[in-house]
Amino acid sequence: MFTLLLASHNQDKAKELKALLSGMNIQLLTLNDFPNIVPTIEDQDTISANAMKKAFEASLKTGLVSLADDTGLFIKALNDKPGVYSARFAGEHCSYKDNRMKVLKLMEGITNRYAEFRTCVALSAPDGIISFKIGILEGNITTEERGTNGFGYDSIFMPLSFNKTYAEMTDTEKNSISHRAKAIEAIIPIIKELIESSKGGLQ
Ligand code: IMP
């Protein structure tokens, strides 16, 4: 069996990834299985560089092939903000709600509400990055919060050609169209190739 480390403590991400990898002979570990590992500092200027840094450091520290992701909400009228700073847009110890309120306030009176969620997933071995892929979902920022599911900016992001926000969708619905699912789906063939090439060898 091939062991893959998801370089994250987030159990929701692990659950989503497990569902997308089902049918493949993979044992999926997360950073919760390595409590002594110090988390990577996400200090890069782009989501791709952060994802690669997280995947590479996790791989170096564990010796396992590792997958990491980094996500941002890029709002056109705000010159692509909050972008790579999405987690702490309203300040160092802010809540998801603080971030959403800051976006809604900055967007008051703005008619062009176009935004993109972008996720980069990076795959790394201890000797370097193997690949990275980007998943994008286009949408619009609503004028008020709608829905209670999900997390982060879900209740103010309405994907294009939908009449509901991410937070008004079920998990299954969101995961079938989301930016993160698109990125993971794009990297799955690379993981499959890796498993094939390591059979009887590396793992
Ligand atoms: P991370 O890189 O996955 O930690 O995401 C950075 C920030 O983007 C999070 O703190 C959330 O505020 C936001 N975010 C990431 N993914 C999503 C999502 O699927 N829906 C809504 N917000 C998200």
Side-chain angles (χ1 to χ4, degrees):
M1 184 177 285
F2 188 89
T3 302
L4 178 69
L5 171 64
L6 174 64
S8 168
H9 291 95
N10 186 321
Q11 287 309 309
D12 292 325
K13 286 185 184 176
K15 208 171 117 196
E16 186 181 347
L17 185 59
K18 252 188 197 141
L20 290 164
L21 296 178
S22 68
M24 291 164 69
N25 200 16
I26 289 182
Q27 178 194 24
L28 187 69
L29 302 180
T30 69
L31 287 181
N32 297 317
D33 296 301
F34 298 89
N36 296 327
I37 290 186
V38 179
T40 295
I41 298 169
E42 298 180 34
D43 56 359
Q44 303 296 295
D45 292 338
T46 63
I47 57 167
S48 304
N50 272 333
M52 284 189 257
K53 186 178 178 191
K54 283 189 269 188
F56 181 55
E57 284 192 5
S59 198
L60 258 189
K61 287 171 185 166
T62 61
L64 294 171
V65 172
S66 302
L67 188 75
D69 71 337
D70 201 53
T71 296
L73 175 64
F74 296 78
I75 302 173
K76 196 167 188 174
L78 303 182
N79 296 319
D80 276 350
K81 281 183 187 146
V84 70
Y85 307 108
S86 293
R88 284 166 214 86
F89 191 42
E92 200 45 44
H93 302 290
C94 65
S95 65
Y96 287 144
K97 176 120 187 149
D98 295 336
N99 284 334
R100 293 193 297 269
M101 290 305 116
K102 179 164 179 183
V103 166
L104 289 181
K105 182 102 192 110
L106 288 171
M107 293 293 288
E108 262 172 25
I110 295 178
T111 47
N112 179 0
R113 307 190 71 88
Y114 179 84
E116 293 179 358
F117 257 119
R118 298 180 199 156
T119 291
C120 175
V121 290
L123 188 67
S124 184
D127 56 355
I129 297 294
I130 298 166
S131 181
F132 70 94
K133 299 283 175 191
I134 295 182
I136 298 178
L137 196 73
E138 299 180 300
N140 284 295
I141 302 298
T142 51
T143 49
E144 57 189 6
E145 294 196 78
R146 276 177 54 175
T148 52
N149 295 332
F151 69 101
Y153 298 92
D154 276 352
S155 61
I156 60 167
F157 182 81
M158 188 181 290
L160 283 193
S161 70
F162 283 82
N163 195 20
K164 52 184 168 184
T165 65
Y166 263 164
E168 292 174 300
M169 296 180 182
T170 62
D171 285 358
T172 316
E173 238 178 321
K174 180 187 167 190
N175 292 344
S176 70
I177 60 161
S178 84
H179 46 291
R180 197 168 12 261
K182 282 183 173 187
I184 294 170
E185 274 158 15
I187 211 153
I188 281 179
I190 315 277
I191 298 174
K192 282 189 175 154
E193 268 174 41
L194 201 65
I195 294 175
E196 280 306 311
S197 65
S198 71
K199 268 189 187 149
L202 291 175
Q203 298 286 316

